[in-house]
Amino acid sequence: MESSTELIPHLFRTEFRKIVSVLSKLFGLAHIEVAEDIVSDTFMLAAETWGKKGLPDNPTAWLYTVAKNKTKDYLKRNQLFSEKISVEIKHTSTPFVELEIDLSTKNIADSQLQMMFAICSPVIPEEAQIGLALRILCGFGIDEISAAFLSNKETINKRLFRAKEALRVQKVSMAFPQASELENRLQAVLTTLYLLFNEGYYSASQHATLRKDLCIEALRLTVMLSENDTTNQPQVRALIALMCFHASRFEARQGTDGQILLYQEQDTALWDQALITTGEIYLNQSATGQKLSKYHLEAAIAYWHTRPQDSAEKWQNILQYYNLLLQIEYSPVAALNRTFALAKAVSTEKAIQEALKLKQDNHLYYALLGQLYSTVDHSAAIEYFERAIAKAKTENDRLVLLKRLEQLRVDSGA
Amino acid sequence: MQEFMMIFRMAPAADFQPTPEQIQESIQQWQSWIGGIAAQGKFLSTNQLGFTGNTLHADGVITDGPYAEVKEIVGGYILVKAENLEAATELAQGCPILFMGGHVEIREIMQINL
């Protein structure tokens, strides 16, 4: 039998968010901290009791029962709460003692989605949204969140505190958006989930397990959106496809000594074919409706990258998707990737000509120019890689670039 | 940065029936040219115009087609950002219309302060 010391952290990850969401909906989002306290107390009691008496038959049901009882006790005991705060609850004119704390599968799912919309409200800055999502929707500890952001606990605590305060002051409520608002609100949720995934996928943190967890959580939350009829929109399915395609390379991109391996250095046998297939299913299902979102285009590009063999068809497709993507939303990185695709699909000369017009000033830009020149002009290539190294922001980036510079010097006999 | 409109004009070739492959290739050429502008962060919007239309005259007469009295028609336009007219003209280089016997007119967008 599994011991409680192993099971509790696992249950905290899966159940904390569910109970907190349901209780926050019951109390009103302004009292999210009361909900968090009740659930934390419940887990503390579980650790104590299970440690002494062994695990109950159904640990999850045990947690739900205890959380319900603690909630009822809290409501009964707290006079202030009953008079001033629980007006919302009183609207239903149910005395608290009979109050139904609905921990059904449906209410748990709905409450979490409503929590997602509340957290991704524009009253909270984006970075705080991700932090709060990790805490409330993913059950991450403050330690883990600060490690993910390469920050300290104090900063993260302050950030989460301010975010909750904004929810309270701006009177954000937990509800599904009106049909007329759905498009915009869903957009905000998808942006946060996309950033959460990227935080894990591209983060400078060396903590591989944590990074993978962030990506898995982002994927899980996006899948939850696809399981609800209202939020199951084509672009939601496109974002799931995108995440699956990227996540398929998790095992392959980590070298034996922990360094990140570039696409062309990866052992393609390590690519997760099951995730690729799942991504393809979602990508096919995303091809409905009138709107071509940036997630559709990024998923289509990521799909072609799941095919390791170079072909004219592959690179022409990737180039065309980048052309469209840049028209929807410009980003410096997409501009560089588009230029790389241009070299593959058309010619290096054409790509160099267009790369020089981009006039960016970062290590990725000079690395691209170095890469493009490496087949036509070694000394120019070396010069650009040197500039890239000077601009590199992390040690990891610097090492990758140095390796390529060394190779170039060996090749040119310099 | 100022805003400019590039207007694509060419004489329509009535007897030209492109194959699906030619259409596909033409779309790729246009998209790659526009993508090159978008990669510089200078793209605003674009539209292609259809081949049918009406012209309303001052006397109330409506004639078929946009090209009753002109040899060339406007095939489409793109709105871009650029430092000045010279830079905008530089962006027009490589426009596929130039390889189809047409030309590009580059015009500054006037900012009207009401």
Side-chain angles (χ1 to χ4, degrees):
Chain A
M1 196 189 198
E2 221 175 341
S3 77
S4 62
T5 44
E6 286 168 17
L7 187 62
I8 288 180
H10 169 75
L11 282 175
F12 193 86
R13 273 286 172 83
T14 59
E15 304 307 321
F16 175 86
R17 58 172 193 256
K18 296 180 185 168
I19 316 177
V20 167
S21 297
V22 167
L23 293 185
S24 298
K25 193 169 148 192
L26 185 76
F27 295 152
L29 197 53
H31 310 293
I32 186 170
E33 273 158 348
V34 176
E36 283 183 84
D37 285 345
I38 289 176
V39 185
S40 297
D41 283 354
T42 302
F43 273 94
M44 221 132 54
L45 188 65
E48 245 179 68
T49 316
W50 300 358
K52 275 188 225 144
K53 298 185 184 168
L55 288 178
D57 289 340
N58 184 340
T60 308
W62 188 100
L63 289 171
Y64 288 6
T65 308
V66 170
K68 279 184 189 181
N69 290 337
K70 281 188 178 292
T71 305
K72 286 179 187 171
D73 286 348
Y74 179 85
L75 292 173
K76 267 190 278 186
R77 195 176 57 234
N78 198 316
Q79 200 59 30
L80 178 81
F81 189 93
S82 70
E83 280 166 7
K84 295 194 176 154
I85 298 168
S86 64
V87 184
E88 295 156 58
I89 301 172
K90 275 182 181 162
H91 277 310
T92 60
S93 71
T94 316
F96 326 125
V97 269
E98 293 165 30
L99 188 76
E100 191 49 51
I101 299 162
D102 182 1
L103 283 162
S104 64
T105 314
K106 166 130 183 35
N107 193 45
I108 286 176
D110 284 355
S111 303
Q112 286 184 96
L113 286 178
Q114 289 163 348
M115 183 63 93
M116 221 185 282
F117 277 103
I119 289 175
C120 301
S121 144
V123 303
I124 307 179
E126 245 161 31
E127 217 174 21
Q129 288 182 15
I130 300 175
L132 202 54
L134 283 173
R135 177 66 193 147
I136 304 295
L137 293 168
C138 310
F140 274 45
I142 302 299
D143 286 346
E144 293 164 304
I145 301 174
S146 25
F149 280 112
L150 298 179
S151 182
N152 59 53
K153 284 164 77 168
E154 198 187 343
T155 310
I156 296 297
N157 266 324
K158 265 188 207 154
R159 191 182 294 169
L160 296 189
F161 177 79
R162 279 197 219 103
K164 288 180 211 168
E165 200 171 47
L167 288 176
R168 186 160 46 234
V169 173
Q170 304 284 335
K171 299 192 169 57
V172 175
S173 68
M174 276 180 70
F176 282 111
Q178 307 279 324
S180 59
E181 283 188 342
L182 183 68
E183 174 74 30
N184 278 341
R185 298 287 308 278
L186 187 60
Q187 204 57 57
V189 173
L190 294 182
T191 302
T192 303
L193 296 179
Y194 176 79
L195 291 173
L196 175 58
F197 186 90
N198 286 350
E199 189 64 40
Y201 206 74
Y202 301 106
S203 138
S205 159
Q206 298 290 330
H207 195 325
T209 327
L210 176 62
R211 296 176 49 161
K212 197 171 166 182
D213 277 357
L214 292 189
C215 293
I216 291 169
E217 286 299 316
L219 180 56
R220 182 182 63 76
L221 293 171
T222 317
V223 168
M224 270 181 64
L225 285 170
S226 77
E227 287 166 348
N228 176 286
D229 288 344
T230 315
T231 53
N232 183 17
Q233 302 287 326
Q235 51 174 331
V236 171
R237 299 191 288 270
L239 180 55
I240 295 171
L242 170 62
M243 290 175 175
C244 287
F245 292 143
H246 279 322
S248 72
R249 289 195 289 277
F250 257 131
E251 300 306 325
R253 69 207 281 266
Q254 195 85 32
T256 40
D257 45 349
Q259 84 283 26
I260 295 288
L261 295 180
L262 301 176
Y263 181 83
Q264 59 274 16
E265 302 169 335
Q266 293 171 10
D267 175 1
T268 55
L270 292 176
W271 291 1
D272 187 332
Q273 290 303 323
L275 265 175
I276 293 175
T277 308
T278 307
E280 286 171 2
I281 293 169
Y282 277 103
L283 185 61
N284 284 330
Q285 290 175 350
S286 76
T288 57
Q290 293 297 311
K291 197 184 165 200
L292 187 64
S293 68
K294 71 167 190 165
Y295 303 116
H296 284 95
L297 293 165
E298 288 195 36
I301 292 165
Y303 162 76
W304 281 101
H305 282 308
T306 63
R307 302 176 150 207
Q309 298 81 12
D310 268 2
S311 70
E313 189 197 8
K314 168 178 169 173
W315 287 105
Q316 187 57 244
N317 272 289
I318 292 176
L319 172 63
Q320 293 306 328
Y321 290 130
Y322 271 120
N323 285 336
L324 292 170
L325 181 63
L326 283 159
Q327 289 171 56
I328 293 181
E329 189 181 279
Y330 167 80
S331 84
V333 172
L336 298 179
N337 288 337
R338 183 238 174 222
T339 311
F340 183 75
L342 187 67
K344 292 282 196 176
V346 182
S347 71
T348 304
E349 289 70 25
K350 175 81 176 153
I352 289 177
Q353 196 189 337
E354 298 218 356
L356 292 171
K357 292 182 190 166
L358 301 183
K359 297 195 175 71
Q360 295 187 22
D361 186 27
N362 56 63
H363 71 283
L364 294 172
Y365 178 60
Y366 296 122
L368 172 71
L369 278 165
Q371 167 82 15
L372 293 175
Y373 272 110
S374 63
T375 51
V376 292
D377 181 345
H378 261 90
S379 61
I382 288 172
E383 201 176 303
Y384 277 118
F385 271 115
E386 283 167 348
R387 283 169 83 172
I389 289 162
K391 286 273 175 188
K393 288 206 189 76
T394 68
E395 190 53 24
N396 206 13
D397 288 341
R398 227 176 64 84
L399 290 176
V400 168
L401 291 167
L402 271 172
K403 204 165 87 184
R404 291 169 73 185
L405 180 64
E406 281 313 307
Q407 189 58 48
L408 211 55
R409 286 198 171 124
V410 170
D411 292 348
S412 66
Chain B
M1 287 271 196
Q2 277 178 281
E3 294 185 8
F4 294 87
M5 179 184 270
M6 296 183 199
I7 302 157
F8 315 128
R9 293 180 195 271
M10 71 177 289
D15 54 343
F16 180 57
Q17 292 291 333
T19 63
E21 290 75 28
Q22 285 172 320
I23 293 174
Q24 181 65 25
E25 207 192 316
S26 166
I27 291 172
Q28 288 186 354
Q29 283 169 358
W30 278 98
Q31 285 300 323
S32 290
W33 176 68
I34 296 167
I37 294 171
Q40 299 174 58
K42 292 176 176 166
F43 170 83
L44 291 170
S45 69
T46 185
N47 269 308
Q48 187 181 358
L49 303 181
F51 288 98
T52 54
N54 282 338
T55 303
L56 173 64
H57 300 268
D59 56 6
V61 173
I62 296 168
T63 52
D64 249 10
Y67 38 82
E69 285 145 30
V70 285
K71 277 186 292 193
E72 288 183 326
I73 63 165
V74 175
Y77 65 86
I78 181 173
L79 286 169
V80 300
K81 285 185 287 190
E83 292 293 340
N84 50 42
L85 183 61
E86 272 155 15
T89 310
E90 183 59 32
L91 286 179
Q93 296 288 346
C95 176
I97 201 92
L98 302 171
F99 309 106
M100 297 160 70
H103 53 95
V104 187
E105 184 179 325
I106 300 119
R107 303 283 297 273
E108 178 190 354
I109 305 274
M110 295 270 288
Q111 299 295 337
I112 297 168
N113 299 314
L114 293 175

